Amino acid sequence: MADTLVDDVAGLLRETADRVVLPLFRHLDAADVTEKAPGELVTVADRRAEDMISAGLRRLRPGSVVVGEEAVADDPDLLRHLGFTGEVWLVDPIDGTANFAAGKSPFALMVALLTDGRPSAAWILDPIAGTLATTQDGAGAYLDGVPLRLPADAPPVGELRGAAMTKFLPVSSQRTVVAGGSRIGELLPGQHCAGREYLDVLTGRQQFVLFWRTLPWDHAPGTLLVRAAGGVARRLDGTDYHPADTEPGLLVAASDKVWTEVHNTLLAP
């Protein structure tokens, strides 16, 4: 029997978006939005969506473990599962919660599967755009069922387009990035939604994105998808990203050449 996991999880995300997330978009009351930490919003839609996705994933893979963003906020010890053997799901029920709470897009639903500690499958759904990116077991990346392959070459630095999340960077790094940004074709401030940033790299709307904060549910899906499409996702010291690694700093690029050009331009002291 063929493995239908990609389609099954895709259907679960679409159903969650249709039944839970989109009906509450622009229909939240003040009591529906709270802070789980200073400056970190959570809505009733986040919690309901995570409950629905988590239950669905456990049904699809009995015995698997789910590590969801909101569950970790309540019990940080759940992160220990990222180093376990077996199947572990990472779930971001609404990536871009601040956007969602403000009644604007983008926001995304994201899931990644770790198998014996190795990222093995990923899904990113932008429910407003209706766009879904998927990958499983090295079989390549797909956007709405169409294979994706990023170009291996790189345009000149002055023609590159990408985003840098400078808000959380150390002050010295902020200065370096801002100074180097004048040599980049277009340096964007970011969309407050990692999932959309990854989708924009996959579709060629931008060639790179620089993050400082690297929470696993924000980046496990996107980094696996970009790599499956031929791109790279590395720490700022050049080592490959892994979701169990909690160190800050991540540069994602459409190719090795783009990664090197951007690193040399934005991050070289």
Side-chain angles (χ1 to χ4, degrees), residues 12-265:
L12 175 61
L13 292 182
R14 290 192 186 279
E15 182 182 8
T16 303
D18 291 342
R19 289 179 52 187
V20 175
V21 178
L22 293 179
L24 285 167
F25 184 47
R26 297 176 178 160
H27 293 284
L28 294 170
D29 295 327
D32 294 334
V33 183
T34 57
E35 282 191 342
K36 57 187 176 183
E40 295 286 336
L41 298 181
V42 61
T43 73
V44 293
D46 292 85
R47 297 192 185 281
R48 292 175 187 172
E50 182 165 305
D51 288 346
M52 183 172 176
I53 294 168
S54 298
L57 296 174
R58 292 188 185 102
R59 285 194 300 271
L60 290 172
R61 287 291 201 263
S64 62
V65 175
V66 180
V67 178
E69 177 179 6
E70 308 314 330
V72 170
D74 295 332
D75 181 9
D77 191 49
L78 287 171
L79 288 171
R80 74 188 189 281
H81 291 291
L82 298 188
F84 282 16
T85 57
E87 294 182 320
V88 178
W89 301 96
L90 280 163
V91 176
D92 193 339
I94 301 179
D95 177 54
T97 295
N99 290 344
F100 182 84
K104 61 184 182 181
S105 60
F107 53 89
L109 288 72
M110 304 199 295
V111 169
L113 176 63
L114 308 185
T115 303
D116 296 332
R118 175 185 61 85
S120 58
W123 297 257
I124 297 178
L125 172 66
D126 180 335
I128 297 297
T131 299
L132 175 70
T134 62
T135 186
Q136 183 184 15
D137 292 333
Y142 293 81
L143 185 70
D144 299 325
V146 178
L148 288 172
R149 193 67 189 172
L150 293 168
D153 59 351
V157 171
E159 296 178 14
L160 287 174
R161 184 177 193 266
M165 314 300 132
T166 57
K167 177 180 177 181
F168 298 104
L169 285 170
V171 173
S172 59
S173 298
Q174 286 182 16
R175 296 190 185 113
T176 303
V177 169
V178 170
S182 63
R183 302 194 296 276
I184 296 284
E186 190 173 3
L187 187 63
L188 306 168
Q191 303 172 75
H192 307 289
C193 175
R196 188 65 248 181
E197 301 291 351
Y198 282 109
L199 288 173
D200 284 355
V201 171
L202 289 167
T203 59
R205 286 176 54 85
Q206 59 192 36
Q207 289 79 48
F208 69 90
V209 57
L210 171 65
F211 300 98
W212 182 251
R213 296 176 63 186
T214 58
L215 296 168
W217 41 82
D218 285 337
H219 300 289
T223 53
L224 184 59
L225 279 158
V226 167
R227 287 170 175 163
V232 297
R234 298 176 184 147
R235 295 293 187 179
L236 305 189
D237 63 0
T239 56
D240 283 338
Y241 167 83
H242 188 278
D245 176 8
T246 59
E247 291 299 312
L250 173 63
L251 178 59
V252 178
S255 69
D256 182 75
K257 290 182 179 179
V258 171
W259 193 95
T260 300
E261 285 189 355
V262 173
H263 190 274
N264 290 343
T265 304

Side-chain angles (χ1 to χ4, degrees), residues 1-8 60-61 136-137:
M1 182 182 296
D3 188 350
T4 61
L5 185 67
V6 168
D7 291 339
D8 290 341
L60 290 172
R61 287 291 201 263
Q136 183 184 15
D137 292 333

